[in-house]
Amino acid sequence: MQLVVNIAVLASIYALISCGYVLIYRVSRVLSLAHGELMMLGAYGLVTTASLFAAQPGVAVAAAGLLAAATGALVYWVLMRRMTGEAVLAAVLATIALGILLRGAMVLIWSAQVQHPARMLGFDNPVVALPGGARLSTISLLLVGMNALVYLALWWFLTRTRYGIAMRAAGQNPRLAAQRGINLHAVYALAWGIAVFTGGLTGILIACDAGLDATMATIGLKAFPAALVGGLDSLVGALCGAVIVATAEVLLIHYVDPLLSDVVPFLVLTAMLIVRPWGLFGSREELDRV
Amino acid sequence: MNVAVPLLQVDAIEVAYHRVMTAVQGVSLQVGAGQLVALMGTNGAGKTTVLRAISGFLGLDDARVTAGSIRFMGESIENLAPHRVTALGIALVPERDKVFDNLTVAENLEAAATPRRADRAALLEMVHAQFPRLAQLAKREAGYLSGGERQMLAIGSALMCAPKLLLVDELSQGLAPLIVQELIHKLLALRDQLGLTILLVEQNARVALDAADHGYVIENGRIVLDGDAAKLGEHQDIREFYLGQGGAERKNYRDVKQYKRSRRWYG
Ligand SMILES: Nc1ncnc2c1ncn2[C@@H]1O[C@H](COP(=O)(O)OP(=O)(O)OP(=O)(O)O)[C@@H](O)[C@H]1O
Ligand SMILES: [Mg+2]
């Protein structure tokens, strides 16, 4: 039972992170390799807002979330705007450079020491005992709930609202979308904003659960195989990929060796690339709607 | 033509692809409010390029209007981003990729951005009234539509942008003559009922000239003939080379050289 709970928590983390990879790729065909760092930046945002609003945890978290969304839109507007839609490789390289830059800057600003934003906000993250005898922290439970919420919200946004439909349209055929009056820059900036917002939220929750230091970017990188296993342009695929990678990781840690933790996602990815190079759902790219 | 200020005025434009390849040169044309104007020409003549120059290029097109001007309702619009041109009231029905294949018919109509001045609900009602088939097909994925239905959806979603000027690229391409007739009548009805102005690109000169008020013939990136549609239909060159009639026998491609010579008398 504990294993199942662990898998659910880890899968939620991977799924929450990989929806950002998928969203940006799906909409603008750019692979953002700075996602892990941007997620970390979101968590450090909470460190800052927590010191400003120590007495009001809700305000601090909301402010950090807004900050993350604004950061995403800003990254698009300042850095990626000129590159999106041109040579795709240049855009990917720009995100790598951004990631390295951010990592260095964050160590300079917030030091390499482990930070505990939850403690700063006076939240002690009690352990919850589930009916089956499994135990997990409150924040972990929150992560699973947040994951469900984010995916439901994304599904609703992309299929039920005009801006979401316009976003899918722009992802399919940017030229026709522009000819239909859709402002592509606004759509791309929105996609970046949502992606960094969900990433930042994940970073915030992980930081509250386990503390925050430079290793968080690694978690972002480990979620990348989940997105790729799913086929990179499908949210359903990202969800399945996250479950597969998390299951493999938890089981191997438990039965073989905890040191495998950092390797497993990439093992799964390699296996996947050999068997189905287009990913789990990639072959259905044309028909997959969400 | 004695329209005081035309709705659209294209003045001696030149369009270059990839900065070096000039596709059209010195093209001028005018479209008066409420007119249906036809732009005709053979493959590669530059028809699509002219329409795209009006509706705007994206960075990924790597194309520019390098000379001349395009004015719509008195405003300069050359090299404006496509979504801004659409917002001003020009909607394009492109030649290829005219619908979002993976979206449903309803979503295709929903995706189009409507300028603030227009009422979306009323527009959607109007589109469904003009093309009842689209209402029946609302849940169908656009990739599965027939050619005629695709064209209807393309026109319908262009109308969702509340245009004053509709640009239609190759209305008849790949469609049965009966459907083409139906669509042409639809365009004329739209013009009369909505006060729409239409610039129609066609390879099929008969289809175009039957419906149009005015026609232009473009060849190798230059306008070589223009005039009142009825008169243009009587023109010897048009009869011979676009309508395939007149003269003792049908000319074939070997006669193109001679045609070019005779064309210069008018060019
Ligand atoms: N994206 C592009 N890059 C480079 N050259 C282009 C591009 N698009 C068109 N051209 C060239 O510009 C010229 C005019 O093409 P255009 O598509 O405007 O012709 P058209 O009259 O629409 O032809 P068709 O009837 O076949 O659609 C052609 O020589 C074509 O090769
Ligand atoms: Mg063409």
Side-chain angles (χ1 to χ4, degrees):
Chain A
M1 190 60 202
Q2 186 66 47
L3 276 183
V4 174
V5 169
N6 291 353
I7 289 171
V9 172
L10 192 62
S12 297
I13 291 177
Y14 287 161
L16 272 171
I17 302 170
S18 49
C19 75
Y21 285 113
V22 170
L23 202 62
I24 292 177
Y25 184 77
R26 183 79 198 264
V27 175
S28 67
R29 298 284 140 184
V30 170
L31 190 55
S32 165
L33 290 179
H35 201 57
E37 283 78 8
L38 284 166
M39 152 184 155
M40 196 158 107
L41 188 64
Y44 276 117
L46 181 66
V47 171
T48 303
T49 57
S51 63
L52 290 175
F53 307 101
Q56 300 136 294
V59 176
V61 172
L66 283 180
L67 222 55
T71 306
L74 198 71
V75 166
Y76 174 73
W77 214 260
V78 174
L79 183 68
M80 305 307 297
R81 187 158 52 113
R82 292 200 57 82
M83 269 170 253
T84 304
E86 311 240 333
V88 175
L89 191 61
V92 176
L93 290 178
T95 66
I96 295 180
L98 174 71
I100 294 171
L101 204 78
L102 281 177
R103 214 180 298 188
M106 283 186 283
V107 171
L108 277 179
I109 298 172
W110 286 285
S111 87
Q113 286 203 330
V114 183
Q115 312 248 18
H116 294 278
R119 269 178 227 160
M120 295 168 70
L121 291 168
F123 178 71
D124 58 2
N125 195 14
V127 170
V128 180
L130 291 185
R135 297 160 68 80
L136 78 172
S137 67
T138 309
I139 300 264
S140 299
L141 196 60
L142 219 56
L143 266 167
V144 178
M146 184 63 74
N147 182 46
L149 194 69
V150 162
Y151 271 80
L152 274 177
L154 277 178
W155 173 81
W156 175 79
F157 172 70
L158 289 172
T159 60
R160 293 289 183 272
T161 70
R162 184 139 74 83
Y163 294 100
I165 292 171
M167 191 175 269
R168 280 160 64 213
Q172 268 176 42
N173 186 344
R175 184 179 290 126
L176 182 60
Q179 285 161 353
R180 289 285 167 271
I182 297 169
N183 183 347
L184 292 178
H185 290 313
V187 167
Y188 294 156
L190 184 62
W192 273 87
I194 296 175
V196 176
F197 173 74
T198 54
L201 220 54
T202 320
I204 286 170
L205 287 174
I206 297 173
C208 287
D209 202 25
L212 169 60
D213 63 9
T215 55
M216 182 176 279
T218 320
I219 304 178
L221 205 58
K222 278 169 70 186
F224 182 56
L228 260 183
V229 164
L232 203 52
D233 57 2
S234 148
L235 284 176
V236 179
L239 214 50
C240 294
V243 172
I244 292 172
V245 172
T247 307
E249 185 170 340
V250 169
L251 292 182
L252 282 175
I253 289 175
H254 189 258
Y255 290 111
V256 186
D257 189 337
L259 286 176
L260 282 175
S261 166
D262 285 350
V263 195
V264 175
F266 298 95
L267 274 178
V268 175
L269 176 61
T270 313
M272 190 69 192
L273 288 178
I274 293 169
V275 183
R276 266 176 89 92
W278 55 89
L280 212 52
F281 287 79
S283 62
R284 299 200 330 184
E285 172 176 351
E286 292 308 309
L287 288 177
D288 183 16
R289 296 236 295 271
V290 177
Chain B
M1 232 169 52
N2 39 17
V3 181
V5 180
L7 190 70
L8 176 78
Q9 178 143 30
V10 176
D11 220 4
I13 57 161
E14 185 175 302
V15 177
Y17 285 108
H18 314 304
R19 292 186 190 81
V20 287
M21 223 216 80
T22 304
V24 304
Q25 236 175 357
V27 167
S28 301
L29 55 88
Q30 299 190 343
V31 184
Q35 281 191 317
L36 194 159
V37 172
L39 179 60
M40 294 159 287
T42 50
N43 285 114
K47 306 180 296 293
T48 298
T49 303
V50 170
L51 283 199
R52 298 269 343 259
I54 299 167
S55 80
F57 294 113
L58 279 182
L60 61 91
D61 293 318
D62 199 3
R64 267 190 84 75
V65 177
T66 48
S69 73
I70 305 173
R71 299 181 76 78
F72 176 65
M73 301 200 305
E75 218 171 314
S76 270
I77 60 164
E78 67 269 8
N79 295 320
L80 216 57
H83 74 273
R84 310 232 349 243
V85 174
T86 304
L88 286 175
I90 301 181
L92 170 72
V93 176
E95 181 176 10
R96 274 166 290 157
D97 295 332
K98 55 186 84 194
V99 298
F100 299 108
D101 279 342
N102 304 349
L103 301 190
T104 64
V105 168
E107 286 171 336
N108 262 278
L109 295 175
E110 187 71 17
T114 306
R116 266 182 216 97
R117 60 185 150 80
D119 173 2
R120 268 188 92 78
L123 276 171
L124 188 62
E125 206 169 293
M126 179 273 289
V127 168
H128 280 159
Q130 295 290 345
F131 301 103
R133 189 95 187 97
L134 294 183
Q136 294 162 17
L137 291 167
K139 294 249 152 35
R140 179 87 51 93
E141 219 163 290
Y144 297 132
L145 295 183
S146 75
E149 292 161 349
R150 271 173 88 80
Q151 193 67 281
M152 286 182 208
L153 178 57
I155 297 171
S157 53
L159 290 177
M160 287 302 291
C161 302
K164 297 183 182 73
L165 172 66
L166 188 67
L167 309 172
V168 183
D169 201 351
E170 306 273 8
L171 183 77
S172 67
Q173 200 174 48
L175 299 181
L178 211 62
I179 296 177
V180 174
Q181 275 313 315
E182 198 182 305
L183 286 171
I184 279 279
H185 285 136
K186 197 40 90 184
L187 286 185
L188 288 169
L190 287 170
R191 177 187 69 169
D192 297 338
Q193 290 166 26
L194 307 176
L196 211 59
T197 305
I198 299 170
L199 176 56
L200 175 72
V201 157
E202 259 299 334
Q203 282 202 42
N204 186 336
R206 195 187 318 258
V207 167
L209 289 175
D210 276 353
D213 303 304
H214 199 89
Y216 290 87
V217 178
I218 184 170
E219 206 165 280
N220 291 322
R222 292 166 190 278
I223 300 283
V224 292
L225 275 175
D226 91 275
D228 185 80
K231 289 216 187 81
L232 215 52
E234 319 247 283
H235 194 287
Q236 195 57 33
D237 285 355
I238 298 274
R239 291 173 70 87
E240 283 180 28
F241 298 100
Y242 289 95
L243 297 178
Q245 52 180 235
E249 65 206 46
R250 265 182 87 140
K251 301 282 200 295
N252 58 30
Y253 263 77
R254 247 177 296 154
D255 299 317
V256 164
K257 248 206 189 100
Q258 189 234 317
Y259 159 54
K260 284 201 170 138
R261 215 182 310 123
S262 71
R263 191 202 71 208
R264 281 210 191 92
W265 296 350
Y266 303 93

